Amino acid sequence: MTSSEFAALLVFSTAMAFTPGPNTTLSAALAANGGLKRAMTFILAVPFGWGLLLLACAGGLGAVIQAAPVLRGGIKALGLAYMLWLAWKLATTARLAEADGGLRVGFWQGVMLQFVNIKAWMNALIISAGWITVADPIAPRLAIVLPLMMAYGLASNFTYALIGSALRSWLAVGQRLAWFNRALAAVLVATAAWMAVL
């Protein structure tokens, strides 16, 4: 991989990883509602699941999905439904006590979310086609790109979770948490709407 290819990958990955999406929004919400420690399960699940998705795309699954409109539509429908369900759960959590009982996303749920996350698919397909499968053999390129992309996933979600966690005590006052959760739910709904038209 040339230095210009690598620089382009870094720019693209920074933009994709740190712009709001289902993962980063959920990381911030989980940390704000349940604390950083509880959010870490999801934060660790994201790069693991996304790494599996990238491996699958580099191995040919991406081409199969792109060639089969029914599969693409199914993934999109599942992803949108899951994002809207998460938005509803978030929007209806108004107090930290409620968050302790309801707003949870486990490790394997976080991993599986990557496979119905349209932004994750789009990112994995572009990176696979643009930086991994462009030259044979793909193994050396994959050995560079995969750990780098997983590190980006961890860094971006941890950053958003730190922000959510830092706001936790401020959000505990009055209706602040309810409005924060509704705002994040609106981000999820807006992301779902954007992804629905792709």
Side-chain angles (χ1 to χ4, degrees), residues 63-98:
V64 171
I65 297 296
Q66 290 203 341
V70 172
L71 284 174
R72 263 196 337 263
I75 290 169
K76 188 180 225 181
L78 282 171
L80 294 174
Y82 190 60
M83 284 174 58
L84 293 174
W85 178 80
L86 286 172
W88 176 78
K89 289 286 283 180
L90 195 52
T92 57
T93 301
R95 295 189 323 263
L96 291 177
E98 292 171 350

Side-chain angles (χ1 to χ4, degrees), residues 80 83-84 187-198:
L80 294 174
M83 284 174 58
L84 293 174
V187 169
L188 283 176
V189 170
T191 303
W194 172 71
M195 291 180 176
V197 298
L198 290 178

Side-chain angles (χ1 to χ4, degrees), residues 9-187:
L9 176 63
L10 293 178
V11 170
F12 175 79
S13 301
T14 301
M16 289 300 283
F18 286 92
T19 53
N23 291 328
T24 53
T25 302
L26 201 48
S27 293
L30 289 169
N33 285 272
L36 186 59
K37 185 176 180 182
R38 183 185 291 175
M40 284 307 297
T41 301
F42 178 73
I43 292 164
L44 294 173
V46 170
F48 183 79
W50 195 84
L52 292 176
L53 181 61
L54 183 61
L55 283 171
C57 287
L61 181 62
V64 171
I65 297 296
Q66 290 203 341
V70 172
L71 284 174
R72 263 196 337 263
I75 290 169
K76 188 180 225 181
L78 282 171
L80 294 174
Y82 190 60
M83 284 174 58
L84 293 174
W85 178 80
L86 286 172
W88 176 78
K89 289 286 283 180
L90 195 52
T92 57
T93 301
R95 295 189 323 263
L96 291 177
E98 292 171 350
D100 289 339
L103 190 63
R104 292 180 185 267
V105 180
F107 182 82
W108 292 111
Q109 284 176 297
V111 169
M112 294 311 297
L113 176 60
Q114 305 319 300
F115 287 86
V116 295
N117 179 343
I118 300 157
K119 184 180 176 187
W121 272 102
M122 186 173 64
N123 197 6
L125 289 169
I126 291 170
I127 289 174
S128 177
W131 285 277
I132 298 173
T133 61
V134 292
D136 284 325
I138 67 167
R141 287 176 167 265
L142 189 60
I144 294 168
V145 175
L146 180 62
L148 181 65
M149 295 304 96
M150 291 176 72
Y152 263 93
L154 180 64
S156 65
N157 285 281
F158 188 70
T159 300
Y160 274 77
L162 280 176
I163 293 166
S165 179
L167 293 172
R168 189 167 158 77
S169 59
W170 182 79
L171 291 170
V173 177
Q175 292 293 309
R176 290 175 182 168
L177 183 68
W179 287 108
F180 179 79
N181 285 343
R182 289 173 193 151
L184 291 182
V187 169

